[in-house]
Amino acid sequence: MMKLVLALPALALTAGCVELGMAPEGATPEVLAAWDASVASIGCDLVNEADYLPVELQTGLPREKVIEIAQYKVARDQAVSLENGGVRSVVGACVPVTEPAIEVAQAG
């Protein structure tokens, strides 16, 4: 857990390295799809060690690449930053569910 806390500032520092619209080096459409599926399998949030490890194992990507893709996804509005320093995917199986508006019939 302490390693993750120490890694979060590095995440913020490298955020500027991912240009809007430009996927990280080596992030093919297949790699990005694997990242999406893997993050969805752990509940859509990347916050701590228990989240990053399965994503790394499922995708075969090192931590740095998982972080770069997370930053890319945030820049493309395919993920959102969380207050706790993590990231939540909002695509595919992670699309937020919204409740339909309930219409109230007016008595006339």
Side-chain angles (χ1 to χ4, degrees), residues 44-87:
C44 301
D45 290 355
L46 278 173
V47 178
N48 55 37
E49 190 76 9
D51 301 328
Y52 280 92
L53 284 176
V55 172
E56 292 170 23
L57 290 171
Q58 290 177 36
T59 62
L61 297 170
R63 175 77 47 102
E64 295 78 22
K65 191 60 69 176
V66 171
I67 291 170
E68 284 181 39
I69 292 173
Q71 294 167 348
Y72 169 74
K73 295 284 187 172
V74 169
R76 303 271 305 176
D77 294 326
Q78 296 176 357
V80 294
S81 296
L82 301 173
E83 290 180 10
N84 60 7
V87 172

Side-chain angles (χ1 to χ4, degrees), residues 9-24:
L11 174 66
L13 290 175
T14 59
C17 297
V18 178
E19 293 181 36
L20 180 62
M22 191 169 142

